[in-house]
């Protein structure tokens, strides 16, 4: 056995001072890397807290997101109402539910100066429902359009240019519904010629219900998020009501022969926004996240999110996306200096999805349940 020399094991004052100086010289970032990450809770649609979106932010801020995923605004409201204040640090909601979140006291007021609204297209700088009495409560992060989603082997683009295709014999038993009343009934309202599809009187509402009921023999199923993907991909369903490129775009990337067409009757815009949960103990970090995801860098990641793609409101984000993933920018028609998706909004072909105005949300939900059970 080799005996260690005393000098090899003895700590001197010089070596202690040297090791202390080295520790003090260690950059703060390196020392922080050894600390446990701060947990940030997020309530959102699937995909928003996955690595392709959050990994960079987590690494730069020593954060670990803890997501709770939902499908549909009603489900989101239910989860929040059953949870103590402060449960969710950041809340992603569909834009039409922001007013309900605010009225119920579930989200914090935000300072507009904290966010890059000057980089947003003018249409999105004062987005409806996000402000109340001049105060900001949610920041728009992404959006997309809903139209006729279809199998390109089964239907032509021309055939998909009207919601009337849903009644085609080609689709009997092969038409799917994304199982949420707002997008589906909104499309039926557009087909009936309602310029404001969610703000209709009782006569128009009865007509929407009648038109929807006439579609029932065509329907092959009502599907959640995952079921919508799989049934359209494998050909079980040849067309879908209530969805758009947020589904078909993912499938296209995987080689599926599907597409979405905004029909002549117009399309609907879904919109997602981030808020800070009421009572969050990490509000500063939550704000930092919203600043990140609405920056040009974060917007490019959001547009190309693996779970489902989206359009983005930040013009600098468009530029960043064109630099980093030009093929996706072109696919989604987000190229500045030429005709692009903003023209659909400016030409009046797109209507914002919203909550019913002259009927209650329960009225629409109850009819949807009746329709599915018919």
């Amino acid at each position: 056995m080799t005996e260690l020399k005393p000098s090899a094991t003895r700590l001197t004052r010089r070596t202690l001072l040297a090791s202390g100086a080295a520790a003090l010289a260690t950059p703060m970032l390196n020392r922080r890397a050894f600390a446990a990450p701060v947990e940030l809770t997020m309530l959102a649609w699937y995909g928003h807290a996955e690595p392709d979106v959050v990994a960079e932010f987590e690494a730069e801020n020593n954060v670990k997101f803890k997501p709770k995923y939902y499908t549909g605004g009603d489900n989101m409201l239910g989860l929040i109402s059953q949870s103590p204040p402060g449960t969710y640090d950041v809340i992603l909601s569909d834009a039409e539910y922001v007013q309900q979140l605010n009225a119920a006291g579930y989200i914090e007021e935000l300072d507009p100066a904290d966010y890059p609204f000057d980089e947003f297209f003018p249409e999105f700088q004062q987005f409806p429902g996000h402000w109340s009495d001049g105060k900001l409560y949610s920041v728009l992060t992404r959006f997309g359009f809903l139209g006729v989603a279809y199998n390109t082997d089964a239907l032509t683009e021309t055939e998909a240019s009207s919601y009337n295709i849903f009644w085609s014999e080609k689709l009997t038993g092969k038409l799917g519904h994304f199982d949420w009343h707002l997008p589906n009934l909104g499309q039926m309202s557009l087909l009936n010629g309602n310029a404001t599809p969610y703000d209709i009187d009782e006569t128009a509402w009865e007509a929407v219900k009648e038109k929807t009921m006439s579609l029932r023999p065509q329907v092959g199923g009502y599907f959640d998020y995952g079921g919508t993907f799989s049934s359209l991909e494998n050909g079980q369903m040849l067309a879908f009501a209530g969805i758009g490129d947020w589904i078909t775009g993912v499938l296209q990337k995987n080689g599926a022969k599907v597409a979405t067409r905004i029909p002549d009757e117009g399309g609907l815009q879904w919109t997602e926004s981030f808020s800070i949960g009421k009572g969050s103990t990490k509000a500063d970090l939550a704000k930092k996240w919203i600043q990140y995801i609405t920056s040009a860098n974060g917007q490019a990641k959001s547009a190309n999110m693996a779970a489902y793609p989206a359009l983005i409101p930040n013009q600098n984000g468009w530029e960043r996306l064109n630099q980093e993933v030009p093929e996706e920018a072109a696919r989604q028609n987000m190229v500045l200096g030429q005709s692009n998706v903003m023209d659909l909004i400016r030409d009046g072909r797109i209507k914002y999805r919203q909550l019913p105005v002259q009927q209650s949300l329960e009225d629409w939900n109850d009819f949807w349940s009746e329709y599915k059970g018919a």
Side-chain angles (χ1 to χ4, degrees):
M1 183 175 184
T2 304
E3 183 178 353
L4 295 176
K5 296 180 180 179
S7 60
T9 58
R10 186 170 63 247
L11 291 175
T12 66
R13 182 174 181 273
R14 178 177 295 177
T15 58
L16 282 171
L17 288 173
S19 63
L24 289 172
T26 302
M28 183 63 70
L29 183 62
N30 289 344
R31 281 191 283 165
R32 191 178 65 181
F34 294 100
V38 177
E39 185 177 271
L40 201 62
T41 56
M42 178 192 290
L43 182 63
W45 284 84
Y46 175 76
H48 285 268
E50 297 306 300
D52 63 298
V53 181
V54 303
E56 181 179 79
F57 180 84
E58 287 183 331
E60 290 178 351
N61 296 278
N62 196 35
V63 167
K64 182 63 180 176
F65 278 98
K66 180 182 179 182
K68 175 67 176 179
Y69 291 134
Y70 64 81
T71 300
D74 298 339
N75 180 220
M76 174 206 63
L77 288 174
L79 289 169
I80 297 176
S81 68
Q82 297 162 17
S83 306
T87 299
Y88 303 109
D89 298 307
V90 288
I91 298 171
L92 180 96
S93 71
D94 293 286
E96 59 265 38
Y97 287 87
V98 172
Q99 289 177 319
Q100 289 190 320
L101 290 172
N102 186 21
Y106 293 148
I107 53 179
E108 298 281 0
E109 181 185 344
L110 306 177
D111 184 348
D114 289 335
Y115 306 100
F117 286 114
D118 59 332
E119 298 177 8
F120 281 25
F121 287 101
E123 289 84 352
F124 304 125
Q125 292 178 4
Q126 291 274 339
F127 198 75
H130 289 50
W131 302 72
S132 179
D133 297 327
K135 298 177 180 179
L136 178 68
Y137 290 90
S138 194
V139 182
L140 190 156
T141 59
R142 61 205 314 258
F143 64 99
F145 303 148
L146 308 176
V148 175
Y150 64 102
N151 183 306
T152 56
D153 282 340
L155 301 177
T156 67
E157 185 176 4
T158 299
E159 288 175 315
S161 65
S162 172
Y163 294 115
N164 285 313
I165 191 61
F166 292 155
W167 282 262
S168 169
E169 290 184 2
K170 292 182 180 182
L171 299 182
T172 301
K174 293 289 186 178
L175 174 69
H177 276 298
F178 180 59
D179 193 5
W180 188 13
H181 54 87
L182 283 182
N184 288 282
L185 298 181
Q187 289 186 335
M188 293 299 100
S189 187
L190 282 173
L191 177 58
N192 272 10
N194 296 313
T196 53
Y198 296 95
D199 188 0
I200 55 177
D201 62 22
E202 286 307 303
T203 299
W205 171 231
E206 289 301 320
V208 166
K209 292 194 289 184
E210 181 179 353
K211 188 68 173 179
T212 304
M213 276 296 186
S214 73
L215 187 59
R216 187 64 182 82
Q218 297 291 95
V219 179
Y222 305 85
F223 300 89
D224 61 9
Y225 177 80
T228 300
F229 272 110
S230 60
S231 61
L232 193 55
E233 182 178 33
N234 64 25
Q236 179 187 356
M237 297 293 116
L238 298 181
F240 251 89
I243 63 167
D245 189 69
W246 70 281
I247 293 283
T248 57
V250 176
L251 294 175
Q252 282 178 351
K253 291 180 181 181
N254 294 330
K257 295 183 178 181
V258 295
T260 293
R261 168 82 173 175
I262 303 303
D264 296 339
E265 298 90 358
L268 300 172
Q269 178 178 315
W270 60 266
T271 313
E272 293 176 344
S273 310
F274 268 115
S275 300
I276 297 176
K278 179 72 75 173
S280 169
T281 60
K282 301 159 189 169
D284 286 344
L285 195 54
K287 178 181 73 175
K288 197 170 185 179
W289 161 252
I290 300 175
Q291 290 172 329
Y292 170 83
I293 202 62
T294 54
S295 69
N297 181 34
Q299 287 277 276
K301 292 183 185 300
S302 185
N304 198 35
M305 192 171 79
Y308 59 104
L311 307 171
I312 48 176
N314 188 318
Q315 298 177 77
N316 292 348
W318 281 40
E319 294 179 358
R320 186 71 170 260
L321 184 68
N322 277 271
Q323 293 167 2
E324 296 181 353
V325 198
E327 65 277 9
E328 181 61 14
R331 192 194 70 79
Q332 293 202 58
N333 200 12
M334 282 192 287
V335 181
L336 294 167
Q338 66 179 50
S339 178
N340 55 51
V341 293
M342 293 302 297
D343 294 328
L344 290 173
I345 297 175
R346 292 165 182 166
D347 291 344
R349 293 190 60 203
I350 301 297
K351 307 296 182 181
Y352 296 142
R353 194 180 65 200
Q354 61 185 109
L355 301 182
V357 176
Q358 299 186 48
Q359 299 81 38
S360 70
L361 191 60
E362 289 73 22
D363 288 337
W364 283 47
N365 194 26
D366 288 346
F367 170 71
W368 186 246
S369 297
E370 178 186 346
Y371 171 65
K372 291 196 298 180

